[in-house]
Amino acid sequence: MTGLPVRSLGRPGGTIAYRVVGTGPPLMLLHATLSSGRQLRALATRLAARFRVISVDRRGSGDSSAAAPTPARPIDVEVHVDDLMAIAAEEGLEGSALVGHSYGGCVALELAARRPEAVSAVFAYEPPYAHVAPPEAQRHM
């Protein structure tokens, strides 16, 4: 993904940056907190042989921006879901597969739960959802 042009989409309260590589069914890559889509470039390059990969810099990460709220607070997952839906609309995507790492996995799961018609599959690696696990599972975490 080195040298791929960064596309950007103006959104209320910020700009969302993403890179597109490959052809085929759409697949969105969603990075973990304190990283960016650039750190998933090797994975994106491999997946581009079979998919149209959209590697997103989530709001406030990488080349994306976010207006600082006053007082400071986390970005609500609904904002991330809306940003991804805006990218899907801009790129003409239907039924994207989602691959998310850590909090990116949480965003992928939330998008699938809130907008199932927009998602064909979810692969969530280490989503930090321990607080919603059954009590017997939480005891082993």
Side-chain angles (χ1 to χ4, degrees):
M1 281 185 16
T2 302
L4 283 181
V6 177
R7 299 179 187 187
S8 63
L9 185 61
R11 301 283 298 141
T15 301
I16 309 305
Y18 59 99
R19 293 161 184 82
V20 180
V21 63
T23 59
L27 184 148
M28 285 189 169
L29 287 181
L30 307 172
H31 61 84
T33 302
L34 302 180
S35 66
S36 72
R38 276 185 243 126
Q39 291 167 314
L40 299 173
R41 111 176 109 229
L43 178 60
T45 301
R46 286 180 179 238
L47 291 170
R50 292 194 56 195
F51 298 94
R52 180 177 179 205
V53 180
I54 299 89
S55 185
V56 179
D57 286 349
R58 287 188 293 105
R59 186 177 289 251
S61 301
D63 291 318
S64 291
S65 66
T70 305
R73 64 183 181 281
I75 298 169
D76 190 278
V77 71
E78 180 86 24
V79 173
H80 292 298
V81 167
D82 289 345
D83 289 343
L84 295 177
M85 289 301 297
I87 290 171
E90 178 74 13
E91 294 294 324
L93 308 178
E94 294 182 20
S96 296
L98 307 173
V99 176
H101 176 224
S102 191
Y103 188 69
C106 294
V107 173
L109 291 167
E110 289 289 338
L111 176 55
R114 295 171 190 225
R115 312 276 173 80
E117 73 284 354
V119 177
S120 63
V122 175
F123 302 89
Y125 181 67
E126 297 183 332
Y129 267 144
H131 67 284
V132 296
E136 61 275 6
Q138 288 184 18
R139 284 193 292 274
H140 300 288
M141 295 181 183

Coordinates of all heavy atoms in Angstrom, one line a residue, residues 129-141:
Y129 N -14.3 -7.2 24.2 CA -15.7 -7.2 24.7 C -15.9 -8.1 25.9 O -16.9 -8.7 26.1 CB -16.6 -7.7 23.5 CG -17.2 -6.6 22.7 CD1 -17.4 -6.8 21.3 CD2 -17.6 -5.4 23.2 CE1 -17.9 -5.9 20.5 CE2 -18.1 -4.4 22.4 CZ -18.3 -4.7 21.1 OH -18.9 -3.7 20.3
A130 N -14.9 -8.2 26.7 CA -14.9 -9.1 27.9 C -16.1 -8.7 28.8 O -16.7 -9.6 29.4 CB -13.6 -9.0 28.7
H131 N -16.5 -7.5 28.9 CA -17.5 -7.1 29.8 C -18.9 -7.6 29.4 O -19.8 -7.6 30.2 CB -17.6 -5.5 30.0 CG -18.0 -4.8 28.7 ND1 -17.1 -4.7 27.6 CD2 -19.1 -4.3 28.3 CE1 -17.7 -4.1 26.7 NE2 -18.9 -3.8 27.0
V132 N -19.1 -8.0 28.2 CA -20.3 -8.6 27.7 C -20.3 -10.1 27.7 O -21.3 -10.7 27.3 CB -20.8 -8.0 26.4 CG1 -21.0 -6.5 26.5 CG2 -19.8 -8.3 25.3
A133 N -19.2 -10.7 28.0 CA -19.1 -12.2 28.0 C -19.9 -12.8 29.2 O -20.2 -12.1 30.2 CB -17.6 -12.6 28.1
P134 N -20.3 -14.0 29.0 CA -21.0 -14.7 30.1 C -20.2 -14.7 31.4 O -18.9 -14.7 31.3 CB -21.3 -16.1 29.6 CG -21.1 -16.0 28.2 CD -20.2 -14.9 27.9
P135 N -20.8 -14.6 32.6 CA -20.0 -14.5 33.8 C -19.0 -15.7 34.0 O -17.9 -15.4 34.4 CB -21.1 -14.6 34.9 CG -22.3 -14.1 34.3 CD -22.2 -14.5 32.8
E136 N -19.3 -16.9 33.5 CA -18.4 -18.0 33.7 C -17.1 -17.7 32.8 O -16.0 -18.1 33.2 CB -19.0 -19.3 33.4 CG -19.6 -19.5 32.0 CD -21.0 -19.0 31.8 OE1 -21.6 -18.4 32.7 OE2 -21.5 -19.2 30.7
A137 N -17.3 -17.1 31.7 CA -16.1 -16.8 30.8 C -15.3 -15.6 31.4 O -14.1 -15.6 31.3 CB -16.6 -16.4 29.4
Q138 N -16.0 -14.6 32.0 CA -15.3 -13.5 32.6 C -14.4 -13.9 33.7 O -13.3 -13.3 34.0 CB -16.3 -12.5 33.1 CG -17.0 -11.7 32.0 CD -17.9 -10.7 32.5 OE1 -17.8 -10.2 33.7 NE2 -18.9 -10.2 31.7
R139 N -14.8 -15.0 34.5 CA -13.9 -15.4 35.6 C -12.6 -15.9 35.1 O -11.6 -16.0 35.9 CB -14.6 -16.6 36.3 CG -15.8 -16.1 37.2 CD -16.2 -17.2 38.2 NE -16.9 -18.2 37.5 CZ -18.2 -18.2 37.2 NH1 -19.0 -17.2 37.5 NH2 -18.7 -19.3 36.6
H140 N -12.4 -16.3 33.8 CA -11.2 -16.9 33.3 C -10.4 -15.8 32.5 O -9.4 -16.2 31.9 CB -11.5 -18.1 32.4 CG -12.2 -19.2 33.1 ND1 -11.5 -20.0 34.1 CD2 -13.5 -19.6 33.1 CE1 -12.4 -20.8 34.6 NE2 -13.6 -20.6 34.0
M141 N -10.8 -14.6 32.5 CA -10.2 -13.6 31.8 C -9.2 -12.8 32.6 O -9.3 -12.7 33.8 CB -11.2 -12.6 31.2 CG -12.0 -13.3 30.1 SD -13.2 -12.1 29.4 CE -14.1 -13.2 28.4

